Each structure stands twice: as structure tokens, then as C-alpha cells.
Amino acid sequence: MSKASCEICQSSQLRAVFKGEREFLFCSNCEFMFLQPHQRLDLLNEKSRYLEHNNDLQDKRYLQYLLKTWEKVSEWVSPGSKVVDYGCGPTRGLEAALRDQSFQIVSYDPVFFAEALSFVKAQSVDVVFCSEAIEHAYQPLKAFDDWARVLKSDGLITLRTAFHPGPDPIKDWWYVDDPTHVSLFNQKTFEFVAEKFGWRILHMHSPYVSFQV
């Protein structure tokens, strides 16, 4: 059996960390933490879990929740800009939140709208928006590669995900009680990602991080 490596930096410097019966691997190089692959939910159970989320497009609080992430880059975004809502879930929430504004929004989700990204041309996107989705990604590096492919030069990324508190406190951290939260980041991880892709950090304070390509 081949030795496991970090999903972000490919380091083999991994430490097992347990949250009940779930086993995460913590990378001492970039501090990324990810669930052991054999413990991931299958697609049917993963989708069922997402459908339990109470994301009601008629609920102004839900839309305001999405807009708090959008506000991190909104001052740099021009009317008519193309935006990818990456990991939108079944609701296409950002489309609803920005309905009255003149943006071109592509709603993509690997479970619910898997084909949407295939129609996006390389370097044609102004903003990637990713709210509470990257922690669900089994291959987050592929997501970042997708973003790098579709974003224009000087394009923007804004995302929301809770930063993990470190390997030891994880046993008491509520965020990993969700069985679909499989990829966990902190400031050091995102600094590694920024350096790897050549992105400039515009803002970083848990649970928000924004980059410029």
C-alpha cells in the first residue's frame, strides 16, 4: 500500500488525528487536514446530507449570509462581470442574492450542477465565489486548479470556510461534526496555496479569505 500524502502540498509528513471514529490526517508542512479517503460518504449519502441544509431562497438571512462573503471583493467588481459560484449546492444562492445586479453568474456544484463549469472558457471569469463549499471538496487542489484555469489575469477569489484550530483541539471542534466536512484549512494552508498559484492575499481572517490572481 502506498504511503498517504497531503492533498495540498504532497508532503508525507502526516499525523493521524481523531474526531470520534473519524480519522483525519494533519500535514505538518502546510497544516492542511483531511479525512481519510475510505471514510468519505458515498455520493448518494453525501447528496442526501446536502439536501438536509435549510437554505431557503425566500429567507433574507440566508441571502445576507452569502453577501457577507461577496462583500470581501465587491468593491473591486465591475457591473457585467462574470462570476462563478463554485459549490453553490442545490439552491444557486448567489444568483438569487445578486438578482438585481448586472452580473453574469455561473452556478456550479459537483453534485447538483456538475456540467456547468465545462462550458466556462479559460480565462473568461472575473470572480470565483466559494461559500462554505471548499471544506466539502475531496480534491481541493483540483478546485484551485479549476479556478486558476477560468480566472482572468487580476481576477478575484473570495471564499468562506472556518479555519481549523490545530490538530489537538479538533476533537472538541463543532465544525467537523458534519460528515461532509472533509477538507480543513487554516492561515498557513491558504498562504501555501497563494504561493503555489502566485495569488496575492487581499484579505484573510477566519472564516474569510480573498485572493487576487
Side-chain angles (χ1 to χ4, degrees):
M1 181 181 298
S2 60
K3 190 173 183 179
S5 60
C6 175
E7 299 276 357
I8 296 295
C9 72
Q10 283 74 58
S11 171
S12 59
Q13 301 174 50
L14 302 177
R15 166 188 166 189
V17 179
F18 290 89
K19 170 69 171 180
E21 296 182 354
R22 301 177 82 208
E23 180 183 356
F24 288 82
L25 296 175
F26 172 77
C27 175
S28 61
N29 183 46
C30 70
E31 298 190 3
F32 180 61
M33 197 179 304
F34 59 102
L35 185 69
Q36 280 277 23
H38 70 271
Q39 293 188 318
R40 297 169 179 168
L41 297 180
D42 60 35
L43 181 60
L44 181 61
N45 284 308
E46 185 184 8
K47 185 175 183 178
S48 295
R49 171 61 182 162
Y50 296 148
L51 290 172
E52 292 174 6
H53 292 179
N54 186 25
N55 296 336
D56 184 356
L57 294 181
Q58 304 307 313
D59 186 346
K60 291 183 178 180
R61 293 171 301 175
Y62 170 56
L63 300 183
Q64 287 299 319
Y65 173 86
L66 294 174
L67 288 174
K68 286 179 68 176
T69 304
W70 176 252
E71 287 167 4
K72 304 303 177 186
V73 297
S74 60
E75 65 182 283
W76 294 293
V77 184
S78 303
S81 294
K82 182 181 287 186
V83 181
V84 170
D85 182 2
Y86 194 101
C88 64
T91 60
R92 293 182 167 135
L94 191 66
E95 286 189 39
L98 299 179
R99 181 179 295 119
D100 297 330
Q101 302 186 42
S102 58
F103 299 116
Q104 305 173 59
I105 299 178
V106 177
S107 294
Y108 167 78
D109 189 276
V111 175
F112 297 98
F113 306 107
E115 295 303 314
L117 206 64
S118 65
F119 298 103
V120 177
K121 294 180 180 179
Q123 296 185 302
S124 67
V125 170
D126 298 287
V127 185
V128 167
F129 173 92
C130 183
S131 178
E132 293 290 337
I134 198 64
E135 65 275 9
H136 301 279
Y138 292 157
Q139 297 177 298
L141 197 60
K142 181 184 181 304
F144 300 143
D145 281 330
D146 285 342
W147 301 355
R149 176 181 64 81
V150 301
L151 277 164
K152 296 176 180 177
S153 177
D154 295 329
L156 301 168
I157 297 163
T158 189
L159 63 90
R160 175 176 180 144
T161 188
F163 291 20
H164 74 70
D168 295 320
I170 195 176
K171 65 180 184 300
D172 299 315
W173 193 35
W174 64 271
Y175 201 69
V176 285
D177 291 337
D178 188 323
T180 63
H181 287 185
V182 299
S183 290
L184 310 174
F185 304 78
N186 67 6
Q187 180 170 328
K188 185 172 181 179
T189 315
F190 283 125
E191 288 172 346
F192 181 93
V193 170
E195 183 175 358
K196 177 179 177 64
F197 287 92
W199 297 340
R200 181 165 70 93
I201 297 169
L202 297 175
H203 172 92
M204 181 154 55
H205 187 275
S206 182
Y208 303 104
V209 59
S210 300
F211 305 101
Q212 185 173 45
V213 172

